[in-house]
Amino acid sequence: MRLHRLTLRNFRGVKDRTVDLPGIGTTVIVGDNEVGKSSLVEAFALVFDFPDDSKSTRIRDIQPVGQDVAPEVTVELTLGGRELTYTKRWLKNRSTELSVVEPDGRRQTFTGREAHNEAERLFAENVDPVLWQTLMVGQGQSLVLPTPADAEPLITAVTAESGTPVDGASMPLVTAVEHEYLRYWTRGGRPTGDFAKSAQHVAAAELAAEQALKAMDEVLTDIRRAERLALDLADLSGRLDEHLESVEGLREKKKATDEILLRRDSIRSRAETARARLENHTRTRLERERLLADVERFTKADAELAERWKHADQTARKAAETVHAAEAALAEVVELRDERRGEVQDVERLVSSLMDRAELGRLLGQQSELVDVRARIAAAGAVLDAISVDDALVNALEDARAKVVEARAALAAGVPEVSVRRLGGEAVELSGTGLDAGGSAKVPSSLGEDGAVELLVSGELVVGVPGAVEVRVRAGGEAATLRAAVDEAVRREKDLLKKARVKDLPAARELLRKGDLASAELQEARRTERSLTAGGDPAERIALLTSRLGFVEGEPVEEPAPKQVADVSVPGQMSLFEQFEPDENAFDFEDLEIPEPMDVGELAVAQRRLENARSGLAEAEALLADAEYAAAQARKAADEDRSEAQQARARAELAGERLAAAVEALEAARELLADDDVEGAEVEATAEVEAVLEELTAVQEQVDAAGADRVAGELADALAVATRLQGERDALRDSLRTTEGRLEQSGRDGLATRRDTADLDLAAIRSEHESLKRRADAARRVYETLGRHRAEAQTKYSEPLQTRIEALGRSVYGPSFRVWLDDDLAVAERELDGARLRVEALSTGAQEQLAIITRLAISHLVSTGEGSVPIIFDDALGWSDKARLRDMGALLGRAGDHGQVIILTCMPDRYEYVPRATYIKLES
């Protein structure tokens, strides 16, 4: 079975949604909570389970709350080689439709209950319910491990891989054999009863005989063993040294590749941000296009309806006049028609002239704006040329400022702080070296009355009262180092400020910000300039129009002044933009006489005159034919025309209201962002996404070329091998020491006598034991034969599934991963790195990953043929860390190569590592 398309209408919170699914591969359906992801799976189940007349609570629950609408589901799928389109509507206007296209191209159509029964039959015939429930993980069920022993397609698949299953023996025979077996053996296969005691006596006698015999050969054996152990130890030590060198090489390689992987992760994060920005700009563009289309459509409708109203009103008036003078109007209409033809021609010439004047005025405004834009370009360029700082220099200044603060703080903590206050009338003089009064304050040479000062002494301070006392304060040896650090930090900061040509760090920051504003202004002005000149130079069109209108040359027209550029000033710094004179060669207005600006309503009046004149001409021609009608027919026509005029007026007023609303919405949107900026922002965002993706592709190529994704695994494997070799070496050393110790302590006294006595005792005990052993062995052979046949049957079912689970699991956990299945083919135990645990003892994340791996293994086994079904995961991998998400993502991507994998999630970051995935975004 393969799902191709699902359509939901009025289904819970979903009003109308269609989702197309690839027939093979991994598909990630992304949507926020409550957007209706789980409804897709629920809808597929309900459409086959419940007829359209069902009153079930499950059907009533899918109807949107408070809405009297009919839930409807349409599913398109391939089932048993047939192409099905199945539609069902519940509760209101109930209906069921099924279209079936056979493999040979024949089409069958069913409706109503017949369609439901046929769909139910086809689904039950081609989809095993246990397998379907096993591979469909609902929301909150990702930790449940599947028990697929009753899934017929799976049993068929594992049987095909393992061969024909072997049946066990009948239960009565097994019970009898087991009873006889337990007389001699425990269930674990150990001897019991008299047989166990006899075996113990034999074992004791054999042990005594063996010990006597072995004691004689022990010395020679130990000598040979010691020689072999010494050779093995030397060989293993050499191999260990070589392997440790390869481990160091892998460590260096991993250090080199970690930087590439970090850069790739950073670029991926930037790519997601750029995609989100592009989506926002695309939505803005689509909304602006919709508003523009609405205004255009409503404008056209308004004009058409207004014309209809006008025409209907005039027709009604003329029809009323025709009622009173139908016969006399015929001659007058001929004369009226000729007169209005001349009027139409006159007004057409007037309108053409007015339109030329309007176009001329527009071009002059465009030329003025072009002059203004070029002034902005010059101003922004001058600002950028004058700025002497960049991001690196500001960062260096910030570091220098921090170092000055740190050095002064260290100086204050490491040198003496002396407070001097003048108390009497005697003068107090201050002198010395390495004195700091705080910041940029100067150290006074003397103190006035009631004067006081606090000083940091990094050198020597001399405080004296002339003729009375002199006090010297000297700092320790570390003070000179602290003072040098302060001086060096201050010098470094001053050098950077001089290089930046600013007085302090805030001024540098402000200058950098001003440069960013100037750059943005320059780009915007250049885009505007390109837009204004896209249709050619306005001056050529201005010259053509003035020539056509016949204006007098030689009298210059006043050129419009350029707009003033906003002055963004910074205290103590140059203005962001200064006034620049426009380019004198931008446009020459000399030798042109431009008429007075045309009244905006003048052209509209002329156009209305033209419309009236043309309407009058049409009316005159119509009246020429209508005048022949009888007066009674004219009266009837007048009544009908009057009614039509009233209806046309109502429709025209309604169209005007809709147009006004559309224009208001468009203007509100333009206040936020101009039309030209909308498309430009989307283009910039698209370019940004393409650039980031190109950069990501380049970095991924570096990752692949360096094998960075494999280095960590290779290093872990190498370390494991090194640990094993070290353990083997230590074991060899211990064995060699033990053997050498035994050789030093061995002796041979009495060994032959001990051996002869032990052999006689062993012969007597062994004869008695052989009788019991023959009976015990016979019972065990029968018991083990029956048990082996039963175990072979179970093993043949579980082995293919176990092998497939372990193959998939090792791609995630490594080569030490193993599992054991129970009688229901469910995973009972897992082994990793030598630790074997029950599934219940695993962490939540490990249980969830094991459940997904098991379902993928089942899917692989039944991925072809009639038994295959899609795998569906709803909100899975919520318990896995980032490393496991990467491995599980790669596994899900490979699973899509074998069949259809569908993932529903509100957290797409969990599946960013799924290769070749198709993403479907569900909007609310």
Side-chain angles (χ1 to χ4, degrees):
M1 178 179 71
R2 290 291 182 265
L3 305 181
H4 302 302
R5 174 177 293 177
L6 269 172
T7 299
L8 279 63
R9 296 184 180 90
N10 302 318
F11 193 101
R12 292 195 184 277
V14 178
K15 183 176 182 181
D16 191 345
R17 172 172 293 137
T18 297
V19 177
D20 293 315
L21 301 169
I24 193 169
T26 302
T27 302
V28 181
I29 301 177
V30 181
D32 297 332
N33 292 328
E34 306 296 331
V35 80
K37 301 185 299 299
S38 300
S39 296
L40 298 173
V41 182
E42 183 183 15
F44 182 79
L46 295 180
V47 77
F48 283 95
D49 292 344
F50 293 90
D52 57 27
D53 58 354
S54 173
K55 304 298 182 182
S56 171
T57 303
R58 292 184 63 187
I59 296 300
R60 292 197 298 271
D61 288 345
I62 66 175
Q63 185 181 39
V65 177
Q67 301 183 36
D68 189 19
V69 294
E72 180 178 335
V73 176
T74 298
V75 58
E76 297 179 20
L77 68 158
T78 300
L79 192 62
R82 303 176 178 88
E83 297 178 5
L84 274 64
T85 302
Y86 191 26
T87 301
K88 187 171 289 185
R89 186 187 305 118
W90 294 277
L91 301 179
K92 291 175 62 66
N93 301 321
R94 302 189 304 270
S95 67
T96 303
E97 297 176 4
L98 174 65
S99 173
V100 181
V101 179
E102 298 291 339
D104 58 3
R106 292 182 297 106
R107 181 183 295 274
Q108 293 179 284
T109 303
F110 306 87
T111 59
R113 176 64 71 166
E114 181 184 17
H116 173 81
N117 294 338
E118 180 65 11
E120 189 176 46
R121 182 188 69 80
L122 291 173
F123 190 83
E125 180 179 293
N126 293 279
V127 178
D128 182 83
V130 176
L131 182 63
W132 173 241
Q133 292 300 322
T134 296
L135 298 185
M136 183 173 66
V137 182
Q139 192 170 29
Q141 297 178 337
S142 62
L143 299 179
V144 179
L145 270 74
T147 55
D150 295 330
E152 292 183 6
L154 178 61
I155 299 302
T156 301
V158 298
T159 300
E161 288 200 5
S162 63
T164 304
V166 181
D167 295 330
S170 62
M171 290 304 299
L173 176 58
V174 171
T175 302
V177 171
E178 183 179 12
H179 178 73
E180 180 65 17
Y181 170 82
L182 293 177
R183 290 181 58 189
Y184 304 98
W185 309 92
T186 65
R187 294 189 182 277
R190 295 188 301 274
T192 187
D194 294 338
F195 179 55
K197 294 178 181 178
S198 177
Q200 291 172 0
H201 295 160
V202 171
E206 288 177 344
L207 178 61
E210 289 175 359
Q211 287 176 346
L213 180 61
K214 287 180 180 179
M216 299 181 65
D217 300 328
E218 186 173 349
V219 173
L220 182 60
T221 301
D222 284 344
I223 292 173
R224 291 195 297 268
R225 177 179 177 82
E227 293 173 350
R228 186 177 66 255
L229 288 173
L231 292 175
D232 292 344
L233 179 60
D235 177 69
L236 184 59
S237 297
R239 287 191 289 124
L240 176 59
D241 293 339
E242 293 176 357
H243 189 74
L244 289 177
E245 290 179 1
S246 67
V247 168
E248 289 302 319
L250 287 174
R251 283 198 176 103
E252 293 300 324
K253 185 177 180 181
K254 185 176 183 300
K255 291 179 181 178
T257 57
D258 283 346
E259 181 180 355
I260 301 176
L261 294 176
L262 289 174
R263 188 161 68 252
R264 183 183 64 181
D265 293 342
S266 175
I267 295 173
R268 282 177 174 169
S269 176
R270 287 167 47 206
E272 291 301 323
T273 302
R275 288 193 187 101
R277 188 180 300 111
L278 176 58
E279 289 176 0
N280 290 335
H281 288 307
T282 300
R283 284 194 295 269
T284 301
R285 176 181 59 79
L286 293 176
E287 176 63 15
R288 184 61 53 83
E289 290 174 355
R290 184 189 68 78
L291 290 174
L292 291 170
D294 286 347
V295 171
E296 181 180 359
R297 177 161 50 88
F298 292 148
T299 301
K300 183 177 180 181
D302 180 72
E304 290 177 354
L305 291 173
E307 181 63 25
R308 292 178 187 175
W309 171 30
K310 183 176 181 180
H311 185 271
D313 184 69
Q314 292 175 351
T315 303
R317 293 177 183 275
K318 293 300 179 182
E321 295 174 2
T322 304
V323 171
H324 300 289
E327 294 295 336
L330 181 59
E332 296 177 359
V333 166
V334 173
E335 181 180 354
L336 179 62
R337 181 192 60 187
D338 296 338
E339 179 183 346
R340 290 188 176 175
R341 278 180 178 171
E343 182 180 351
V344 167
Q345 294 173 355
D346 293 340
V347 176
E348 284 178 344
R349 287 190 294 271
L350 176 60
V351 168
S352 177
S353 176
L354 291 175
M355 290 180 68
D356 286 345
R357 292 179 60 189
E359 175 67 7
L360 179 60
R362 185 190 68 79
L363 289 172
L364 288 173
Q366 181 176 336
Q367 180 64 27
S368 175
E369 186 176 357
L370 185 59
V371 171
D372 173 61
V373 166
R374 287 171 176 167
R376 288 167 56 198
I377 291 174
V383 170
L384 291 174
D385 292 341
I387 290 175
S388 58
V389 299
D390 55 18
D391 289 332
L393 186 55
V394 171
N395 291 336
L397 277 171
E398 290 178 343
D399 292 341
R401 177 89 291 245
K403 285 182 169 49
V404 169
V405 174
E406 292 173 0
R408 284 179 171 165
L411 180 66
V415 301
E417 181 178 1
V418 178
S419 178
V420 181
R421 179 182 299 275
R422 178 175 173 179
L423 300 179
E426 299 295 332
V428 177
E429 297 179 351
L430 302 176
S431 62
T433 59
L435 305 180
D436 191 342
S440 60
K442 294 183 178 180
V443 178
S445 59
S446 61
L447 296 179
E449 293 185 3
D450 296 330
V453 66
E454 293 182 353
L455 301 175
L456 295 175
V457 182
S458 59
E460 181 183 62
L461 170 65
V462 179
V463 181
V465 177
V469 67
E470 181 180 271
V471 178
R472 292 181 181 270
V473 179
R474 293 187 180 89
E478 186 181 359
T481 302
L482 296 176
R483 166 58 66 182
V486 171
D487 294 341
E488 175 60 23
V490 171
R491 184 195 62 77
R492 172 62 178 166
E493 182 183 30
K494 289 181 178 180
D495 289 345
L496 290 173
L497 290 173
K498 181 178 179 181
K499 181 179 179 181
R501 291 184 288 176
V502 294
K503 63 181 180 180
D504 52 23
L505 177 59
R509 290 173 179 159
E510 184 62 28
L511 199 59
L512 181 62
R513 184 192 66 82
K514 187 167 61 176
D516 292 339
L517 292 175
S519 179
E521 173 71 11
L522 181 61
Q523 293 178 5
E524 175 64 23
R526 284 176 174 168
R527 284 197 296 269
T528 304
E529 181 186 30
R530 289 194 296 271
S531 174
L532 292 173
T533 57
D537 190 351
E540 296 179 1
R541 182 65 177 165
I542 291 173
L544 177 62
L545 289 176
T546 53
S547 176
R548 182 189 300 171
L549 294 171
F551 296 140
V552 178
E553 297 184 358
E555 297 184 11
V557 66
E558 182 180 356
E559 179 182 359
K563 297 179 181 178
Q564 294 297 314
V565 180
D567 181 22
V568 181
S569 299
V570 179
Q573 301 295 327
M574 59 180 288
S575 171
L576 178 59
F577 297 111
E578 297 181 1
Q579 298 301 317
F580 287 84
E581 292 296 329
D583 186 358
E584 295 180 355
N585 298 322
F587 180 73
D588 186 7
F589 286 89
E590 296 296 331
D591 300 329
L592 292 178
E593 179 190 3
I594 304 302
E596 292 295 329
M598 185 187 68
D599 187 356
V600 177
E602 187 176 354
L603 177 58
V605 171
Q607 289 175 333
R608 286 196 296 273
R609 286 183 56 194
L610 179 58
E611 291 174 359
N612 293 337
R614 289 173 177 170
S615 177
L617 178 59
E619 291 171 3
E621 291 174 348
L623 289 174
L624 184 62
D626 294 339
E628 298 176 355
Y629 282 68
Q633 293 296 329
R635 188 176 299 109
K636 179 180 179 181
D639 294 339
E640 293 175 351
D641 291 341
R642 185 181 303 108
S643 175
E644 177 63 22
Q646 293 174 350
Q647 294 178 5
R649 179 177 181 178
R651 288 193 295 269
E653 291 175 350
L654 178 60
E657 293 175 357
R658 296 173 65 185
L659 174 59
V663 170
E664 182 179 358
L666 178 59
E667 291 302 323
R670 282 173 171 167
E671 287 181 0
L672 299 176
L673 191 62
D675 293 346
D676 294 339
D677 295 339
V678 170
E679 184 173 359
E682 184 182 19
V683 170
E684 291 179 0
T686 302
E688 181 183 0
V689 170
E690 292 174 351
V692 174
L693 292 179
E694 182 178 354
E695 186 178 356
L696 179 59
T697 301
V699 171
Q700 185 61 47
E701 289 175 356
Q702 296 178 10
V703 170
D704 295 339
D709 289 329
R710 301 188 304 272
V711 170
E714 292 173 355
L715 177 58
D717 293 342
L719 289 172
V721 172
T723 301
R724 178 178 59 80
L725 291 176
Q726 289 172 343
E728 292 177 1
R729 182 192 61 186
D730 295 339
L732 284 174
R733 285 175 176 171
D734 294 339
S735 297
L736 181 58
R737 294 191 186 101
T738 301
T739 303
E740 291 172 347
R742 284 200 306 270
L743 287 172
E744 294 176 356
Q745 300 175 4
S746 63
R748 301 179 181 178
D749 295 340
L751 296 181
T753 303
R754 287 171 53 195
R755 185 191 61 186
D756 293 340
T757 302
D759 288 343
L760 292 175
D761 293 340
L762 175 61
I765 295 172
R766 185 177 285 168
S767 176
E768 180 182 354
H769 176 69
E770 287 297 328
S771 177
L772 284 173
K773 186 176 184 302
R774 283 191 294 272
R775 294 193 297 272
D777 288 344
R780 183 168 63 179
R781 282 195 297 272
V782 175
Y783 178 82
E784 289 178 348
T785 300
L786 291 178
R788 185 173 62 255
H789 282 275
R790 295 181 66 194
E792 287 176 354
Q794 177 63 27
T795 301
K796 286 180 178 290
Y797 281 121
S798 63
E799 184 177 357
L801 179 58
Q802 178 179 344
T803 301
R804 194 62 57 92
I805 293 174
E806 289 178 347
L808 295 177
R810 284 168 184 159
S811 68
V812 176
Y813 295 98
S816 65
F817 176 85
R818 291 190 63 193
V819 295
W820 284 265
L821 307 183
D822 60 19
D823 293 340
D824 292 329
L825 300 184
V827 177
E829 297 178 356
R830 187 207 72 179
E831 178 178 322
L832 187 63
D833 297 330
R836 183 169 175 176
L837 298 173
R838 297 286 301 173
V839 168
E840 299 80 11
L842 299 176
S843 68
T844 304
Q847 291 186 41
E848 181 183 54
Q849 294 153 19
L850 189 56
I852 292 176
I853 290 172
T854 302
R855 288 183 170 88
L856 294 178
I858 295 171
S859 172
H860 282 199
L861 287 170
V862 297
S863 61
T864 59
E866 299 297 329
S868 64
V869 296
I871 316 176
I872 299 178
F873 297 105
D874 189 359
D875 197 27
L877 290 180
W879 305 91
S880 300
D881 57 33
K882 187 172 183 180
R884 287 288 181 257
L885 286 177
R886 180 183 292 106
D887 296 334
M888 293 300 295
L891 189 60
L892 289 170
R894 292 194 296 272
D897 297 336
H898 299 275
Q900 190 178 29
V901 180
I902 302 171
I903 300 170
L904 301 99
T905 182
C906 60
M907 301 291 291
D909 292 344
R910 296 179 188 169
Y911 305 94
E912 66 177 332
Y913 302 107
V914 178
R916 300 178 300 280
T918 299
Y919 281 81
I920 299 176
K921 175 70 173 178
L922 299 184
E923 302 290 349
S924 58

